Amino acid sequence: MHFNNFDITAFLGNSWQKKPQLIKNPWAAWTNPLEPDELAGLACEEGVESRLITQPETTWKLEHGPLAEDRFDTLGDKNWTLLVQAVDQHVPTVAALIEPFRFIPNWRIDDVMVSFAADGGGVGPHFDQYDVFLIQGLGKRQWQVGGHCDETSALLPHDDLRLLADFEAVDTFVCEPGDILYIPPGVSHNGIAMGDDCMTYSIGFRAPSRSELIGDWCDDMLADMLDDDRYGDPDLAIQENPGEISTSAVDRLHAMITDKIGDRTAFSCWFGEYSSTPKYPEMDWQPEEKIEIKDLREQLQQGVSLRCNPASRFSFIRADAEKLLLFVDGQTMECTGDAIPFAETLCAQSLVTIDEQLTNFDSVMALLLDLHNRGSLAFEPRDL
């Protein structure tokens, strides 16, 4: 899928992280990538994060999956919503929805959550702390959009759902199949299904908080620090008052922290691994049988393409003019020479066809072998 009528430059300048925008069916040809029954099947599987939200007259109720198959027979035809997280990791046609949004850097992309709602169903008025594109797949949904919210905004009392206690819509949009509604971080919104078979695809983006970055970065540094790396003052002089913490002591102590935290090279390497860590790191995507480099080279020379695992995250940082750091699934791979442009291609495309000449470069083949045997890359079936 790709866009046929969407001015990306204008969107980034006028709307991104600034204001909501309704984008009327910009696709060259919109096709709903997933059937409702398939979504329900995913919600019944172990290892798939799913939620069922129902709206009785008095309160909202939340159930976590996996759901029993017969649970859907008891729901009726009004006021319920099924949400399944990271559907892109399980359904290639849903993963393809991300491709047109690659104008946002890879490390910012989180996943595609898919919801199915009966008439009147929704998740209630709320706000997210990240950007989201809401793509209408089937049916119609009315979106009420309110003002900005933050941690001080009043919430309804509920153990699991963060629903706004005071919500007032300032705009209303009706989304039909193929329409996209962009909502910036902190903007309140409320989606309500209009009729049956309402499916919405939510492409969410990660936005780490300052506290998360500091906390996780410091945790990583602490793991490698030595206990004998301690304060020292070999030039100590007699003080007029022994109770004073001198300016020179504060400077030394402060430098012990800031010199370490301020190491930009170390931070960039850490962040590459941190941001490329899979959403569900406990999932094992390794192939049942690992391939040998001879077989890998043979298949590539026959023109077989490689597809990036939708559950994997690829990004890179240029260390210098002659070295690139490739980050895949929380791991760092140093690339030099001919492996540099190839690593760049891996990060830019989900489907890669290898030039036969590249199969003669040991550095490229070693990289591909590692990524394939870890499950980050897989051969594309020839019949697709």
Side-chain angles (χ1 to χ4, degrees):
M1 289 188 181
H2 62 276
F3 293 140
N4 189 46
N5 183 27
F6 179 40
D7 190 332
I8 293 173
T9 301
F11 168 78
L12 291 175
N14 299 327
S15 299
W16 176 254
Q17 297 209 330
K18 302 174 187 70
K19 64 179 182 180
Q21 180 179 336
L22 176 64
I23 306 162
K24 292 296 293 183
N25 199 342
W27 309 90
W30 172 253
T31 303
N32 182 53
L34 184 69
E35 292 301 315
D37 287 347
E38 295 177 278
L39 184 69
L42 281 174
C44 299
E45 292 185 13
E46 292 282 351
V48 176
E49 184 181 353
S50 62
R51 292 166 290 164
L52 177 65
I53 297 177
T54 53
Q55 303 157 246
E57 294 183 4
T58 55
T59 187
W60 295 75
K61 292 187 178 181
L62 171 67
E63 300 173 42
H64 291 280
L67 302 172
E69 291 185 15
D70 59 1
R71 179 67 178 96
F72 299 102
D73 298 331
T74 68
L75 292 173
D77 57 3
K78 287 185 179 295
N79 301 335
W80 60 268
T81 298
L82 172 68
L83 304 107
V84 182
Q85 209 74 41
V87 177
D88 52 300
Q89 297 189 11
H90 306 280
V91 183
T93 52
V94 173
L97 288 178
I98 296 176
E99 294 306 310
F101 296 94
R102 294 290 184 186
F103 58 89
I104 310 298
N106 287 355
W107 73 266
R108 291 278 268 117
I109 297 172
D110 190 10
D111 71 344
V112 183
M113 181 185 73
V114 184
S115 68
F116 176 87
D119 187 30
V123 301
H126 65 286
F127 71 96
D128 301 309
Q129 295 177 320
Y130 49 83
D131 306 86
V132 63
F133 289 96
L134 302 160
I135 306 170
Q136 192 64 23
L138 287 176
K140 295 183 180 181
R141 186 183 290 273
Q142 180 192 79
W143 286 102
Q144 300 170 332
V145 178
H148 281 268
C149 298
D150 56 30
E151 293 181 352
T152 66
S153 300
L155 302 178
L156 293 174
H158 198 287
D159 291 337
D160 300 298
L161 298 173
R162 293 177 54 82
L163 303 180
L164 292 166
D166 302 305
F167 174 75
E168 182 176 346
V170 296
D171 279 307
T172 300
F173 306 96
V174 174
C175 286
E176 299 177 305
D179 291 348
I180 305 172
L181 180 62
Y182 165 71
I183 303 289
V187 173
S188 58
H189 51 286
N190 182 33
I192 304 169
M194 303 174 66
D196 299 329
D197 293 341
C198 176
M199 285 190 74
T200 304
Y201 300 81
S202 302
I203 300 182
F205 294 80
R206 295 180 292 166
S209 68
R210 192 190 304 267
S211 62
E212 288 173 336
L213 287 175
I214 293 174
D216 290 349
W217 170 221
C218 288
D219 286 345
D220 187 79
M221 287 189 297
L222 286 171
D224 295 328
M225 287 187 184
L226 302 175
D227 191 53
D228 58 3
D229 182 11
R230 293 177 175 270
Y231 175 81
D233 47 8
D235 57 350
L236 182 65
I238 298 174
Q239 293 184 183
E240 182 177 338
N241 187 329
E244 178 185 5
I245 302 174
S246 67
T247 300
S248 61
V250 171
D251 288 344
R252 282 184 201 267
L253 292 162
H254 188 249
M256 287 179 70
I257 296 173
T258 56
D259 287 353
K260 190 71 175 177
I261 292 179
D263 186 336
R264 191 181 186 283
T265 299
F267 175 82
S268 64
C269 294
W270 166 80
F271 185 74
E273 295 184 353
Y274 170 81
S275 62
S276 66
T277 298
K279 185 177 181 70
Y280 301 104
E282 69 279 3
M283 295 289 290
D284 184 3
W285 296 96
Q286 294 182 70
E288 292 183 5
E289 294 186 9
K290 294 187 177 182
I291 196 170
E292 299 293 335
I293 198 162
K294 177 182 177 182
D295 296 327
L296 174 64
R297 180 177 280 113
E298 182 178 320
Q299 293 210 47
L300 294 176
Q301 289 176 343
Q302 292 175 0
V304 180
S305 298
L306 288 166
R307 182 172 292 279
C308 298
N309 185 343
S312 295
R313 289 169 168 165
F314 292 73
S315 58
F316 69 85
I317 289 175
R318 300 186 196 282
D320 53 47
E322 298 181 352
K323 183 170 68 175
L324 176 147
L325 301 179
L326 174 65
F327 303 101
V328 183
D329 295 336
Q331 301 294 318
T332 303
M333 284 148 276
E334 292 189 3
C335 299
T336 58
D338 296 292
I340 290 179
F342 178 69
E344 293 172 347
T345 300
L346 277 180
C347 293
Q349 302 174 11
S350 58
L351 182 63
V352 180
T353 300
I354 310 300
D355 188 299
E356 186 173 346
Q357 290 184 339
L358 283 177
T359 62
N360 297 318
F361 295 109
D362 292 340
S363 59
V364 173
M365 294 305 297
L367 175 62
L368 284 174
L369 185 69
D370 182 31
L371 293 173
H372 176 276
N373 288 341
R374 288 202 280 112
S376 302
L377 290 174
F379 288 114
E380 180 78 348
R382 287 182 177 274
D383 58 345
L384 291 182

PDB file of all heavy atoms in Angstrom, residues 257-273:
ATOM      1  N   ILE A 257      29.926  12.544  38.124  1.00  0.00           N
ATOM      2  CA  ILE A 257      28.630  12.142  37.556  1.00  0.00           C
ATOM      3  C   ILE A 257      28.475  12.640  36.127  1.00  0.00           C
ATOM      4  O   ILE A 257      28.174  11.879  35.210  1.00  0.00           O
ATOM      5  CB  ILE A 257      27.486  12.673  38.442  1.00  0.00           C
ATOM      6  CG1 ILE A 257      27.549  12.024  39.819  1.00  0.00           C
ATOM      7  CG2 ILE A 257      26.132  12.410  37.782  1.00  0.00           C
ATOM      8  CD1 ILE A 257      26.583  12.590  40.820  1.00  0.00           C
ATOM      9  N   THR A 258      28.703  13.944  35.925  1.00  0.00           N
ATOM     10  CA  THR A 258      28.426  14.523  34.611  1.00  0.00           C
ATOM     11  C   THR A 258      29.375  14.027  33.529  1.00  0.00           C
ATOM     12  O   THR A 258      28.974  13.908  32.374  1.00  0.00           O
ATOM     13  CB  THR A 258      28.475  16.057  34.681  1.00  0.00           C
ATOM     14  OG1 THR A 258      29.745  16.479  35.194  1.00  0.00           O
ATOM     15  CG2 THR A 258      27.372  16.593  35.588  1.00  0.00           C
ATOM     16  N   ASP A 259      30.631  13.749  33.896  1.00  0.00           N
ATOM     17  CA  ASP A 259      31.557  13.241  32.892  1.00  0.00           C
ATOM     18  C   ASP A 259      31.077  11.898  32.335  1.00  0.00           C
ATOM     19  O   ASP A 259      31.214  11.614  31.140  1.00  0.00           O
ATOM     20  CB  ASP A 259      32.961  13.076  33.476  1.00  0.00           C
ATOM     21  CG  ASP A 259      33.654  14.410  33.708  1.00  0.00           C
ATOM     22  OD1 ASP A 259      33.089  15.439  33.280  1.00  0.00           O
ATOM     23  OD2 ASP A 259      34.737  14.421  34.313  1.00  0.00           O
ATOM     24  N   LYS A 260      30.512  11.096  33.216  1.00  0.00           N
ATOM     25  CA  LYS A 260      30.021   9.774  32.794  1.00  0.00           C
ATOM     26  C   LYS A 260      28.708   9.907  32.035  1.00  0.00           C
ATOM     27  O   LYS A 260      28.547   9.359  30.939  1.00  0.00           O
ATOM     28  CB  LYS A 260      29.836   8.882  34.027  1.00  0.00           C
ATOM     29  CG  LYS A 260      29.564   7.426  33.705  1.00  0.00           C
ATOM     30  CD  LYS A 260      30.784   6.736  33.167  1.00  0.00           C
ATOM     31  CE  LYS A 260      30.541   5.249  32.962  1.00  0.00           C
ATOM     32  NZ  LYS A 260      31.704   4.580  32.361  1.00  0.00           N
ATOM     33  N   ILE A 261      27.776  10.637  32.600  1.00  0.00           N
ATOM     34  CA  ILE A 261      26.474  10.793  31.953  1.00  0.00           C
ATOM     35  C   ILE A 261      26.606  11.554  30.637  1.00  0.00           C
ATOM     36  O   ILE A 261      25.861  11.316  29.684  1.00  0.00           O
ATOM     37  CB  ILE A 261      25.485  11.517  32.898  1.00  0.00           C
ATOM     38  CG1 ILE A 261      25.144  10.609  34.090  1.00  0.00           C
ATOM     39  CG2 ILE A 261      24.219  11.926  32.182  1.00  0.00           C
ATOM     40  CD1 ILE A 261      24.198  11.231  35.080  1.00  0.00           C
ATOM     41  N   GLY A 262      27.568  12.470  30.575  1.00  0.00           N
ATOM     42  CA  GLY A 262      27.718  13.297  29.387  1.00  0.00           C
ATOM     43  C   GLY A 262      28.514  12.679  28.264  1.00  0.00           C
ATOM     44  O   GLY A 262      28.805  13.356  27.274  1.00  0.00           O
ATOM     45  N   ASP A 263      28.858  11.402  28.377  1.00  0.00           N
ATOM     46  CA  ASP A 263      29.612  10.717  27.327  1.00  0.00           C
ATOM     47  C   ASP A 263      28.666  10.459  26.156  1.00  0.00           C
ATOM     48  O   ASP A 263      27.903   9.482  26.141  1.00  0.00           O
ATOM     49  CB  ASP A 263      30.179   9.406  27.860  1.00  0.00           C
ATOM     50  CG  ASP A 263      31.095   8.707  26.870  1.00  0.00           C
ATOM     51  OD1 ASP A 263      30.953   8.952  25.655  1.00  0.00           O
ATOM     52  OD2 ASP A 263      31.936   7.902  27.314  1.00  0.00           O
ATOM     53  N   ARG A 264      28.709  11.318  25.148  1.00  0.00           N
ATOM     54  CA  ARG A 264      27.752  11.249  24.036  1.00  0.00           C
ATOM     55  C   ARG A 264      27.915   9.972  23.225  1.00  0.00           C
ATOM     56  O   ARG A 264      26.915   9.374  22.775  1.00  0.00           O
ATOM     57  CB  ARG A 264      27.903  12.469  23.133  1.00  0.00           C
ATOM     58  CG  ARG A 264      26.771  12.617  22.115  1.00  0.00           C
ATOM     59  CD  ARG A 264      26.970  13.834  21.234  1.00  0.00           C
ATOM     60  NE  ARG A 264      25.829  14.047  20.372  1.00  0.00           N
ATOM     61  CZ  ARG A 264      25.566  13.353  19.267  1.00  0.00           C
ATOM     62  NH1 ARG A 264      26.397  12.389  18.904  1.00  0.00           N
ATOM     63  NH2 ARG A 264      24.508  13.619  18.525  1.00  0.00           N
ATOM     64  N   THR A 265      29.154   9.536  23.029  1.00  0.00           N
ATOM     65  CA  THR A 265      29.384   8.318  22.249  1.00  0.00           C
ATOM     66  C   THR A 265      28.778   7.112  22.950  1.00  0.00           C
ATOM     67  O   THR A 265      28.095   6.284  22.325  1.00  0.00           O
ATOM     68  CB  THR A 265      30.887   8.094  22.030  1.00  0.00           C
ATOM     69  OG1 THR A 265      31.426   9.213  21.304  1.00  0.00           O
ATOM     70  CG2 THR A 265      31.136   6.812  21.258  1.00  0.00           C
ATOM     71  N   ALA A 266      29.010   7.011  24.250  1.00  0.00           N
ATOM     72  CA  ALA A 266      28.451   5.899  25.004  1.00  0.00           C
ATOM     73  C   ALA A 266      26.927   5.959  25.014  1.00  0.00           C
ATOM     74  O   ALA A 266      26.242   4.935  24.901  1.00  0.00           O
ATOM     75  CB  ALA A 266      28.990   5.902  26.434  1.00  0.00           C
ATOM     76  N   PHE A 267      26.389   7.185  25.137  1.00  0.00           N
ATOM     77  CA  PHE A 267      24.934   7.335  25.151  1.00  0.00           C
ATOM     78  C   PHE A 267      24.331   6.915  23.822  1.00  0.00           C
ATOM     79  O   PHE A 267      23.304   6.219  23.783  1.00  0.00           O
ATOM     80  CB  PHE A 267      24.538   8.777  25.462  1.00  0.00           C
ATOM     81  CG  PHE A 267      23.054   9.016  25.375  1.00  0.00           C
ATOM     82  CD1 PHE A 267      22.216   8.692  26.431  1.00  0.00           C
ATOM     83  CD2 PHE A 267      22.489   9.540  24.216  1.00  0.00           C
ATOM     84  CE1 PHE A 267      20.848   8.882  26.346  1.00  0.00           C
ATOM     85  CE2 PHE A 267      21.117   9.743  24.120  1.00  0.00           C
ATOM     86  CZ  PHE A 267      20.296   9.417  25.190  1.00  0.00           C
ATOM     87  N   SER A 268      24.935   7.314  22.711  1.00  0.00           N
ATOM     88  CA  SER A 268      24.375   6.979  21.402  1.00  0.00           C
ATOM     89  C   SER A 268      24.370   5.468  21.186  1.00  0.00           C
ATOM     90  O   SER A 268      23.399   4.919  20.642  1.00  0.00           O
ATOM     91  CB  SER A 268      25.144   7.695  20.290  1.00  0.00           C
ATOM     92  OG  SER A 268      26.483   7.257  20.232  1.00  0.00           O
ATOM     93  N   CYS A 269      25.427   4.792  21.609  1.00  0.00           N
ATOM     94  CA  CYS A 269      25.468   3.329  21.482  1.00  0.00           C
ATOM     95  C   CYS A 269      24.392   2.684  22.350  1.00  0.00           C
ATOM     96  O   CYS A 269      23.703   1.743  21.925  1.00  0.00           O
ATOM     97  CB  CYS A 269      26.843   2.797  21.860  1.00  0.00           C
ATOM     98  SG  CYS A 269      28.159   3.288  20.737  1.00  0.00           S
ATOM     99  N   TRP A 270      24.270   3.198  23.580  1.00  0.00           N
ATOM    100  CA  TRP A 270      23.230   2.653  24.463  1.00  0.00           C
ATOM    101  C   TRP A 270      21.850   2.887  23.876  1.00  0.00           C
ATOM    102  O   TRP A 270      21.018   1.977  23.852  1.00  0.00           O
ATOM    103  CB  TRP A 270      23.320   3.309  25.850  1.00  0.00           C
ATOM    104  CG  TRP A 270      22.075   3.042  26.656  1.00  0.00           C
ATOM    105  CD1 TRP A 270      21.771   1.915  27.348  1.00  0.00           C
ATOM    106  CD2 TRP A 270      20.944   3.915  26.797  1.00  0.00           C
ATOM    107  NE1 TRP A 270      20.522   2.029  27.931  1.00  0.00           N
ATOM    108  CE2 TRP A 270      19.999   3.246  27.605  1.00  0.00           C
ATOM    109  CE3 TRP A 270      20.651   5.202  26.336  1.00  0.00           C
ATOM    110  CZ2 TRP A 270      18.765   3.814  27.948  1.00  0.00           C
ATOM    111  CZ3 TRP A 270      19.423   5.766  26.676  1.00  0.00           C
ATOM    112  CH2 TRP A 270      18.506   5.084  27.473  1.00  0.00           C
ATOM    113  N   PHE A 271      21.596   4.095  23.368  1.00  0.00           N
ATOM    114  CA  PHE A 271      20.258   4.397  22.871  1.00  0.00           C
ATOM    115  C   PHE A 271      19.924   3.570  21.630  1.00  0.00           C
ATOM    116  O   PHE A 271      18.770   3.169  21.447  1.00  0.00           O
ATOM    117  CB  PHE A 271      20.103   5.885  22.553  1.00  0.00           C
ATOM    118  CG  PHE A 271      18.703   6.234  22.162  1.00  0.00           C
ATOM    119  CD1 PHE A 271      17.693   6.298  23.113  1.00  0.00           C
ATOM    120  CD2 PHE A 271      18.365   6.454  20.829  1.00  0.00           C
ATOM    121  CE1 PHE A 271      16.388   6.587  22.762  1.00  0.00           C
ATOM    122  CE2 PHE A 271      17.063   6.749  20.463  1.00  0.00           C
ATOM    123  CZ  PHE A 271      16.072   6.820  21.435  1.00  0.00           C
ATOM    124  N   GLY A 272      20.916   3.296  20.801  1.00  0.00           N
ATOM    125  CA  GLY A 272      20.660   2.446  19.648  1.00  0.00           C
ATOM    126  C   GLY A 272      20.169   1.072  20.071  1.00  0.00           C
ATOM    127  O   GLY A 272      19.218   0.528  19.473  1.00  0.00           O
ATOM    128  N   GLU A 273      20.784   0.501  21.089  1.00  0.00           N
ATOM    129  CA  GLU A 273      20.346  -0.806  21.585  1.00  0.00           C
ATOM    130  C   GLU A 273      19.011  -0.695  22.320  1.00  0.00           C
ATOM    131  O   GLU A 273      18.119  -1.538  22.155  1.00  0.00           O
ATOM    132  CB  GLU A 273      21.410  -1.393  22.504  1.00  0.00           C
ATOM    133  CG  GLU A 273      22.719  -1.710  21.793  1.00  0.00           C
ATOM    134  CD  GLU A 273      23.729  -2.372  22.704  1.00  0.00           C
ATOM    135  OE1 GLU A 273      23.468  -2.464  23.923  1.00  0.00           O
ATOM    136  OE2 GLU A 273      24.793  -2.789  22.192  1.00  0.00           O
TER     137      GLU A 273
END
